[in-house]
Amino acid sequence: MLKFPLSRYALALLGLVSAVPAAAKGAKPAPGPAALDRSVLPIAPPQYPAIKELDARKAKIPPRFEVKAPPGAPNVVIVLLDDFGFGQSSAFGGAINMPTLDRLAQQGLKYNQFHVTALCSPTRAALLTGRNHHSANAGAVMDIATGFPGYNGVRPNAIAPLAEILRLNGYSTAAFGKYHETPPWEVSPSGPTDRWPTRSGFDKFYGFIGGETNMWAPTIYDGVARVEPPRDPHYHFTTDMTNQAIAWVRQQQSLTPDRPFFVYYAPGATHAPHHVPKEWADKYKGRFDAGWDRYREETLARQKQLGVVPPNTQLAPTPEAIPAWNTLGEPERQVYARQMEVYAGFGEHTDHEIGRLVQTLEELGEMDNTLFVYIVGDNGASPEGSMAGAANEMNSLFNGIPESLEQKTKRLDSWGGPETFPHYAVGWANAGNAPFNYGKQVASRFGGNQNPMVIHWPQGIQAKGEIRSQFHHVIDIAPTVLEAAHIPQPKLVNGTTQKPMEGVSLAYTFNDAKAGSRHHTQYFEIVGNRGIYHDGWFAGTVHKAPWEPKPRAALDQDQWELYRVVDDFSQAQDLAAKNPAKLKELQALFLKEAVKYQVLPLDDRTVERLDPTVAGRPDLMAGRTSLTLYPGGVGMAENAFINIKNRSHSITAELEIPKGGAEGVVVAQGGRFAGWSLYFKDGKPVYLYNWVGMEQYKIAAPEAPHAGKATLRYEFAYDGGGRGKGGTGRLFIDGKKVAEGRIEKTVPNLFSADETANVGVDGETPVSADYKQGENHFTGQIVKVTLDAPAPPPGAVAATPPPPPPPATPRAP
């Protein structure tokens, strides 16, 4: 406790008083110099007169400078679900029971015209900065960043994240779950870590960096340190991250109860893989047997009853490529119904975990003054699982390898469990976005960019259980948080002049349902799918649906559509032919906005851009044909590892074999759903190639090497002739060939979006069934491992990865 009187000016310097009003109480700013200057961050301490007294006992201690949040500033919790449709949650008429969302909506506000970017990384960049995604250089997911401004994946210093602004204004900050904002070439132990969460304003981070992860065996970072998940047979990442979030909030409140907190809670759910405990999926048995067409009709009826859509809303037309449910055979219907049961269970399980966090805030007495923003999806439901869905989404989405109906049927009982990496069929994604059509990636349709949102803040919002229909966008959340906290947008952060936020606060809607929207114009663009909203009108074009192998037309030949969305909520009636002048006006406006926010040039490539050389982004392995690794080299993401796909290569390991023989993994990449491993089994060396979880090719030595020094070498001679072809593998011990075998098929594009390469162990899921997860460390000593992968000769491999083949919905006989 302070033992001496302080002036109001000194108190302000300490951050104990502020001229910033408390939003909940409507206080007015106090006159005079009492407020801290929060426009320049970090806030500079005051300059005290030089001390001339020799003896500390006689000198007066100057007041301690400490930045505190403005009085009454609320805690902030932002929940962001992944790949969730407008018509999936019970709060917005869907069939997925989400009691936490329901309860928050009943005590807060539902927003039914809230928009996102239609893709993961872009929405997150916009949410966490208050700027359009292209302004933040996040025009697409980080994995396919290019060299162009707007798309290079590197957030500018002139755009400070919301977390950094809050942290420098006295908040404790933490992020849990999916981040997906770090450039892939920076995801390695070498860094730099500037764009990792803990260098982007968050004091604490626990989660994964990439676009998706295995919920049963995730790739987890605590800060920038790789950590192993708990060894628990009931482990699930969403539960784990919630435990971490709860523990952090409790400790933060124990130690600094007067300091508000900001929690960014972004589960990997319900992005593929759709992983959920079986009992949660089984709660929905039989609920989707009537199919996706009936689901759309029933959802729209519930939405009208709830008032989350206008009474005259029609279902937008189903894309022609999606088969009608009544045309499918019974085996297909069984597979597809189970896909949706698993997804629904995944959604309810996630809401349950969010409920545990809410309960913790209530127990701590913090819920009333917590601005709780629950965004139900960073884009619409995902139509990336192919027309038939997939037991292993790496096949259909990234490698263009189709699965047969029989293959899916065999895995139906385990669908959603550790042995699968599943995604559902396009028909369910389209249905989940009811009353809209299309979905994720299609930024030109509300099925891709319009998601539910609920805001709950008892001390700041008087209304309860009401609906707000003002047009808003995800870039509006950061300005809203700052207004609620009475923190100005900074002009200078860490020495860099800031670009103003491009969003507008929606706080004006909190207690005025009839207020006119203040967000008048908003462009949308993802991989060539683009559109523009302006004062009740929307114009856009579907350049390429996610299930289509190529764009529908050249970018300058796209067919645009026009909708009067104030009268046509679901974009069901195209007015382009009736009002060509308005369409032309909006197309011109799109180009103006595109130039303003560095959207041009448009880039409609997707899978091709996984190759850094094609995309023109930095590559940690650029020009490298050899990589030498040492013990402790673990957690190397595919984007930061030498590429041995589609080419001849060799792996040379210098080892010390213990007496009695060696066991365990020397080096491995990928996991159960695609990858390769060089290991010892019963003392004998083995190379195993796992082709997308469908086929395994094993080359095993008949005898074990002698104890002592040994050189183990694997050579692969690629057949050539394109991507994903086969070749011949050979094993050598001390220069002597000991085994040879054919590998008929190889992975063309990507082993995994989250599993890594490791020396001395196979992390995450095991590549081979010969060893178990967590029990495969090499028992000998590894001196070093060298991978050599010379560039293939010109013409031996296609310059760019081919897009997936046209999807075919399998028909029952």
Side-chain angles (χ1 to χ4, degrees):
M1 180 177 293
L2 297 172
K3 300 296 185 181
F4 48 89
L6 295 175
S7 68
R8 180 170 179 80
Y9 180 64
L11 287 169
L13 292 174
L14 285 166
L16 298 177
V17 300
S18 172
V20 180
K25 300 178 181 178
K28 295 182 178 180
L36 289 171
D37 179 7
R38 299 177 186 267
S39 66
V40 177
L41 301 176
I43 298 171
Q47 296 295 317
Y48 298 113
I51 297 175
K52 299 179 180 180
E53 175 59 54
L54 179 65
D55 190 338
R57 288 180 289 269
K58 299 178 181 179
K60 183 178 181 180
I61 299 174
R64 180 175 178 271
F65 174 74
E66 180 182 1
V67 175
K68 291 194 174 184
N75 306 310
V76 178
V77 176
I78 296 178
V79 171
L80 180 66
L81 299 190
D82 204 325
D83 287 8
F84 214 94
F86 187 90
Q88 290 183 320
S89 69
S90 51
F92 284 77
I96 302 176
N97 183 34
M98 301 180 73
T100 302
L101 182 65
D102 288 336
R103 183 161 68 92
L104 294 174
Q106 291 163 6
Q107 299 171 356
L109 301 174
K110 291 182 184 178
Y111 286 79
N112 69 344
Q113 291 199 60
F114 179 76
H115 295 261
V116 292
T117 72
L119 199 59
C120 302
S121 298
T123 289
R124 292 159 201 274
L127 171 66
L128 296 174
T129 67
R131 281 82 164 187
N132 285 303
H133 55 300
H134 292 89
S135 296
N137 293 332
V141 290
M142 297 302 163
D143 315 74
I144 58 173
T146 72
F148 289 107
Y151 298 88
N152 63 33
V154 179
R155 184 187 64 248
N157 290 335
I159 293 181
L162 173 65
E164 179 73 346
I165 296 171
L166 294 178
R167 186 182 71 83
L168 293 175
N169 275 283
Y171 272 72
S172 299
T173 58
F176 301 92
K178 174 176 172 177
Y179 194 62
H180 208 198
E181 292 304 305
T182 305
W185 58 91
E186 295 181 358
V187 183
S188 84
S190 296
T193 59
D194 302 62
R195 279 159 288 276
W196 284 61
T198 49
R199 293 283 298 279
S200 299
F202 291 107
D203 299 317
K204 167 75 174 181
F205 171 67
Y206 184 89
F208 61 98
I209 295 294
E212 64 183 40
T213 199
N214 188 316
M215 294 291 134
W216 307 111
T219 302
I220 304 175
Y221 291 89
D222 192 337
V224 297
R226 176 78 181 281
V227 296
E228 291 294 322
R231 296 297 174 197
D232 181 349
H234 303 293
Y235 178 86
H236 191 279
F237 175 71
T238 312
T239 302
D240 182 18
M241 65 169 277
T242 306
N243 291 341
Q244 291 282 332
I246 289 172
W248 183 85
V249 169
R250 284 173 172 166
Q251 189 169 28
Q252 190 272 348
Q253 284 293 292
S254 295
L255 300 176
T256 53
D258 295 331
R259 185 185 303 169
F261 56 79
F262 169 41
V263 170
Y264 173 52
Y265 179 100
T270 50
H271 194 289
H274 299 161
H275 281 157
V276 68
K278 189 173 185 295
E279 60 269 23
W280 289 85
D282 287 349
K283 294 172 70 171
Y284 289 87
K285 275 197 171 182
R287 294 276 296 276
F288 304 105
D289 288 355
W292 45 63
D293 299 317
R294 178 72 62 82
Y295 181 93
R296 297 188 81 211
E297 296 167 357
E298 293 176 347
T299 297
L300 178 58
R302 289 190 294 263
Q303 289 171 334
K304 290 180 178 180
Q305 186 177 10
L306 290 169
V308 295
V309 304
N312 65 343
T313 301
Q314 304 174 37
L315 288 174
T318 295
E320 293 181 2
I322 300 175
W325 186 261
N326 61 15
T327 66
L328 303 174
E330 186 57 30
E332 293 170 284
R333 295 184 185 185
Q334 291 178 0
V335 168
Y336 298 159
R338 185 56 179 172
Q339 291 174 357
M340 188 57 199
E341 291 169 4
V342 168
Y343 178 87
F346 198 16
E348 183 175 346
H349 176 263
T350 304
D351 183 80
H352 168 77
E353 294 298 331
I354 296 166
R356 293 203 298 123
L357 176 60
V358 170
Q359 182 180 354
T360 298
L361 298 180
E362 291 172 336
E363 291 170 352
L364 292 170
E366 292 297 317
M367 194 63 186
D368 281 356
N369 196 32
T370 294
L371 176 61
F372 200 104
V373 182
Y374 194 148
I375 303 173
V376 192
D378 55 0
N379 41 245
S382 171
E384 296 172 335
S386 83
M387 282 295 167
N392 178 5
E393 64 136 357
M394 297 304 299
N395 299 342
S396 60
L397 179 57
F398 294 109
N399 290 307
I401 300 170
E403 296 176 355
S404 69
L405 180 61
E406 181 182 8
Q407 287 172 317
K408 284 188 275 285
T409 301
K410 286 181 178 179
R411 294 190 174 189
L412 210 54
D413 290 341
S414 60
W415 201 275
E419 301 300 319
T420 64
F421 206 85
H423 205 319
Y424 58 15
V426 168
W428 286 123
N430 184 71
N433 293 318
F436 313 123
N437 58 12
Y438 288 90
K440 180 181 180 180
Q441 295 189 28
V442 186
S444 51
R445 292 292 180 86
F446 287 170
N449 71 43
Q450 187 161 320
N451 282 76
M453 180 175 68
V454 165
I455 295 183
H456 178 276
W457 184 23
Q459 287 191 17
I461 301 175
Q462 299 170 2
K464 295 184 184 298
E466 295 184 4
I467 295 171
R468 295 292 183 266
S469 295
Q470 292 87 352
F471 181 97
H472 275 284
H473 189 266
V474 68
I475 60 175
D476 300 333
I477 298 302
T480 303
V481 170
L482 293 183
E483 181 175 347
H486 292 276
I487 294 172
Q489 293 185 27
K491 298 177 181 177
L492 194 75
V493 178
N494 296 322
T496 302
T497 300
Q498 294 296 290
K499 183 177 182 180
M501 289 187 178
E502 292 155 2
V504 296
S505 171
L506 49 73
Y508 72 94
T509 69
F510 286 171
N511 294 306
D512 188 354
K514 297 181 180 179
S517 176
R518 298 181 183 177
H519 196 128
H520 299 286
T521 304
Q522 181 61 47
Y523 81 90
F524 297 86
E525 192 280 331
I526 295 292
V527 292
N529 294 315
R530 57 204 188 276
I532 184 80
Y533 168 87
H534 181 69
D535 285 343
W537 288 91
F538 190 98
T541 178
V542 180
H543 179 67
K544 178 185 176 297
W547 59 84
E548 293 172 341
K550 61 182 181 179
R552 297 178 175 182
L555 287 163
D556 60 354
Q557 298 296 317
D558 280 325
Q559 181 176 344
W560 283 63
E561 298 163 352
L562 177 69
Y563 301 97
R564 178 65 175 160
V565 292
V566 293
D567 303 317
D568 179 11
F569 183 85
S570 61
Q571 297 178 314
Q573 302 294 327
D574 180 11
L575 303 177
K578 294 182 179 180
N579 198 339
K582 189 66 178 180
L583 176 60
K584 188 175 181 180
E585 173 191 328
L586 290 177
Q587 287 174 312
L589 180 58
F590 173 82
L591 285 175
K592 179 181 177 182
E593 296 290 289
V595 172
K596 180 179 180 181
Y597 296 113
Q598 56 189 31
V599 181
L600 303 180
L602 301 179
D603 193 338
D604 57 7
R605 299 170 299 169
T606 52
V607 177
E608 301 96 315
R609 285 159 60 182
L610 289 172
D611 186 333
T613 303
V614 172
R617 65 174 174 270
D619 179 6
L620 211 61
M621 294 288 116
R624 297 274 296 274
T625 60
S626 182
L627 176 65
T628 299
L629 304 168
Y630 300 92
V634 297
M636 292 170 282
E638 195 161 341
N639 275 301
F641 194 72
I642 192 167
N643 182 15
I644 63 171
K645 295 182 290 292
N646 308 302
R647 66 192 63 191
S648 298
H649 59 270
S650 66
I651 305 168
T652 305
E654 296 183 18
L655 310 171
E656 288 275 354
I657 306 297
K659 291 182 180 180
E663 293 292 321
V665 175
V666 176
V667 60
Q669 183 179 23
R672 177 178 291 131
F673 305 101
W676 56 268
S677 179
L678 183 61
Y679 61 96
F680 280 77
K681 174 71 173 176
D682 298 329
K684 304 171 186 177
V686 179
Y687 177 87
L688 185 136
Y689 194 92
N690 181 339
W691 185 71
V692 296
M694 292 185 184
E695 298 177 20
Q696 295 191 349
Y697 305 100
K698 182 186 290 189
I699 301 171
E703 298 179 358
H706 296 294
K709 293 183 178 180
T711 299
L712 175 63
R713 181 176 175 85
Y714 169 75
E715 294 182 355
F716 179 67
Y718 189 57
D719 290 343
R723 304 180 72 87
K725 304 300 181 181
T728 301
R730 299 178 178 89
L731 272 179
F732 299 82
I733 298 177
D734 295 328
K736 179 183 177 182
K737 187 174 74 172
V738 294
E740 179 177 316
R742 283 287 298 171
I743 295 175
E744 295 296 342
K745 303 170 186 175
T746 60
V747 173
N749 298 330
L750 195 68
F751 288 120
S752 175
D754 67 321
E755 299 214 44
T756 60
N758 301 277
V759 176
V761 66
D762 184 358
E764 296 99 31
T765 63
V767 172
S768 171
D770 281 346
Y771 51 80
K772 296 181 180 179
Q773 179 184 355
E775 301 177 10
N776 57 64
H777 288 78
F778 186 61
T779 59
Q781 293 185 18
I782 298 173
V783 179
K784 64 181 180 180
V785 177
T786 301
L787 291 86
D788 291 300
V797 178
T800 59
T809 304
R811 293 281 184 250

